[in-house]
Amino acid sequence: MAQTQFTQRVFSGIQPSGGLTLGNYLGAIKRFVDMQDEGSFQTVYCMVDLHAITAKLLDPDTLRHNTRELCAGFIASGIDPEKSILINQSQVPEHAQLGWIFSCIARMGWMERMTQYKDKSGKNAEAASLGLLAYPALMAADILLYHATHVPVGDDQKQHLELTRDIAAKFNHDYGVDFFPITEPVIEGAATRVMNLQDGTKKMSKSDPSDKTRINMTDDADTIAKKIRKAKTDPDPLPDNTDALTDRPDARNLVNIYAALGDITPQAVLDQHAGALFGHFKVALSDVAVDKLAPISSEMSRLMDDPAEIDRILRRGADRAREISVPILEKTYDIVGMLRS
Ligand code: TRP
């Protein structure tokens, strides 16, 4: 069968399950902005509110607040709702509709093998929601609903993208079509993986009970400086090459954060700061961090003062998204044999 040519299209999503952290910014949003501005892709970015209730139900007002705040975070960081299609998942009903079809394509065995499912369902899988098990099928629907060819995600989502490819391939094979693309993962490098400020072996997370472990995108300058000052480090000075950071996870994390914020390589950071003690380096790091993040956090709070404007942007995003998603869902239903009248 001749290979269908697909438009170069990027899709990615973030869950509005809590506040935004520096990890979301450096690990995801900053790359989303780069891919938007690079100009070779059409870009679709999504707040995945349907995914946000799979692990546990959220207070409804909190979910609404988080979704708007995530939208504000995207825009304040440089996502332009004219250049990119910016949407909230539940406002484009085709996500859930295609998700159902994919729940019938994916096999139980595939789903039960997902490490994120195993981690999140823990010892008591009986009590996990059905949605948590189906999560990756809905994620595949998010991506394939736009025939996205490229998906920038963190390393932890690699297995879900492989499943997305398996679902596309099985659908195409079972129906004898060449309809869904086999999506390419664009996995972040280790240097942009932002780790916990109190334990450099763990990922920075919005769900960690201690706020000292992360920098929130809404933190003000003083809070950012204080968290960096209190970040865990070791007593040795900064080395002159990145190999020497291999066994120093806390030190490596701060160097990587500095590099990502300043758009330079970790080696370039060491070229500037080799021999410095952390007391000194942290001052430099907090200057860079405040420089980059304070304008974003103040723009976020400006946007959050006008929720009606955010809602308007999301409604418009949904309309634009549906120009792509409705025909793809219609065609899918047709392939499957759902009566269209
Ligand atoms: N599972 C992703 C995460 O937690 C979020 C997500 C949902 C996503 N749907 C997506 C990411 C589609 C990329 C593409 O990070």
Side-chain angles (χ1 to χ4, degrees):
M1 201 184 312
Q3 282 301 112
T4 310
Q5 282 300 314
F6 293 98
T7 311
Q8 297 279 95
R9 191 176 284 142
V10 166
F11 182 97
S12 198
I14 297 183
Q15 296 190 48
S17 49
L20 269 179
T21 69
L22 181 65
N24 297 121
Y25 175 67
L26 292 178
I29 302 178
K30 196 160 167 285
R31 276 189 325 146
F32 297 176
V33 176
D34 290 344
M35 292 181 104
Q36 163 193 273
D37 292 343
E38 198 210 310
S40 42
F41 302 100
Q42 181 176 50
T43 44
V44 185
Y45 297 125
C46 186
M47 287 127 253
V48 289
D49 60 347
L50 298 170
H51 280 110
I53 59 168
T54 53
K56 66 172 190 323
L57 300 178
L58 298 176
D59 166 68
D61 286 332
T62 304
L63 179 56
R64 273 185 282 270
H65 172 86
N66 290 348
T67 305
R68 291 197 181 102
E69 189 175 88
L70 178 53
C71 182
F74 272 127
I75 296 171
S77 306
I79 302 291
D80 176 342
E82 293 305 317
K83 284 196 207 159
S84 292
I85 297 179
L86 188 58
I87 53 170
N88 179 36
Q89 189 184 30
S90 65
Q91 289 176 270
V92 180
E94 292 74 27
H95 287 253
Q97 291 177 289
L98 186 61
W100 176 257
I101 303 289
F102 287 171
S103 285
C104 300
I105 299 289
R107 306 291 93 186
M108 283 296 278
W110 301 1
M111 309 311 276
E112 283 169 348
R113 233 174 279 132
M114 293 292 117
T115 52
Q116 184 175 296
Y117 169 71
K118 288 193 275 186
D119 289 348
K120 289 198 180 174
S121 61
K123 290 197 184 66
N124 196 3
E126 289 283 308
S129 75
L130 183 54
L132 189 67
L133 183 67
Y135 178 119
L138 179 61
M139 177 164 163
D142 296 339
I143 296 164
L144 295 172
L145 186 55
Y146 301 93
H147 280 181
T149 51
H150 295 78
V151 180
V153 280
D155 202 36
D156 61 330
Q157 296 298 311
K158 207 167 155 183
Q159 199 186 27
H160 288 161
L161 286 190
E162 276 156 19
L163 186 96
T164 300
R165 293 160 65 94
D166 289 344
I167 288 177
K170 182 165 163 57
F171 182 99
N172 288 345
H173 174 266
D174 287 359
Y175 288 107
V177 291
D178 181 25
F179 185 58
F180 288 115
I182 307 301
T183 301
E184 284 302 323
V186 186
I187 306 288
E188 77 186 57
T192 52
R193 201 168 313 136
V194 181
M195 309 306 280
N196 182 307
L197 295 179
Q198 298 298 327
D199 177 356
T201 64
K202 292 202 301 209
K203 213 172 133 170
M204 182 179 285
S205 160
K206 51 194 165 197
S207 54
D208 194 290
S210 163
D211 196 53
K212 285 191 305 197
T213 62
R214 64 179 157 262
I215 292 174
N216 304 302
M217 295 305 290
T218 47
D219 285 345
D220 61 20
D222 285 349
T223 312
I224 295 172
K226 189 163 155 212
K227 285 177 177 174
I228 291 176
R229 197 162 61 240
K230 297 212 162 145
K232 188 163 167 239
T233 41
D234 55 44
D236 297 334
L238 282 165
D240 60 9
N241 70 86
T242 50
D243 289 343
L245 289 172
T246 316
D247 298 322
R248 297 172 65 187
D250 300 299
R252 186 178 59 220
N253 187 33
L254 297 188
V255 170
N256 285 346
I257 292 174
Y258 189 108
L261 284 169
D263 263 323
I264 55 176
T265 62
Q267 184 56 52
V269 177
L270 296 181
D271 292 344
Q272 289 167 19
H273 296 276
L277 290 171
F278 273 94
H280 185 78
F281 179 68
K282 281 173 167 180
V283 176
L285 174 59
S286 94
D287 286 348
V288 184
V290 167
D291 234 42
K292 277 274 154 129
L293 303 178
I296 298 178
S297 97
S298 73
E299 177 63 2
M300 275 176 78
S301 72
R302 193 190 66 76
L303 290 161
M304 286 300 280
D305 284 342
D306 189 0
E309 172 65 6
I310 293 181
D311 294 355
R312 199 192 56 75
I313 290 170
L314 288 177
R315 262 197 309 278
R316 161 131 173 84
D319 288 343
R320 289 176 65 206
R322 297 192 75 207
E323 286 171 21
I324 306 170
S325 68
V326 170
I328 290 179
L329 183 78
E330 283 298 315
K331 180 73 188 164
T332 307
Y333 274 0
D334 185 52
I335 291 170
V336 172
M338 304 291 172
L339 204 57
R340 318 312 297 145
S341 58

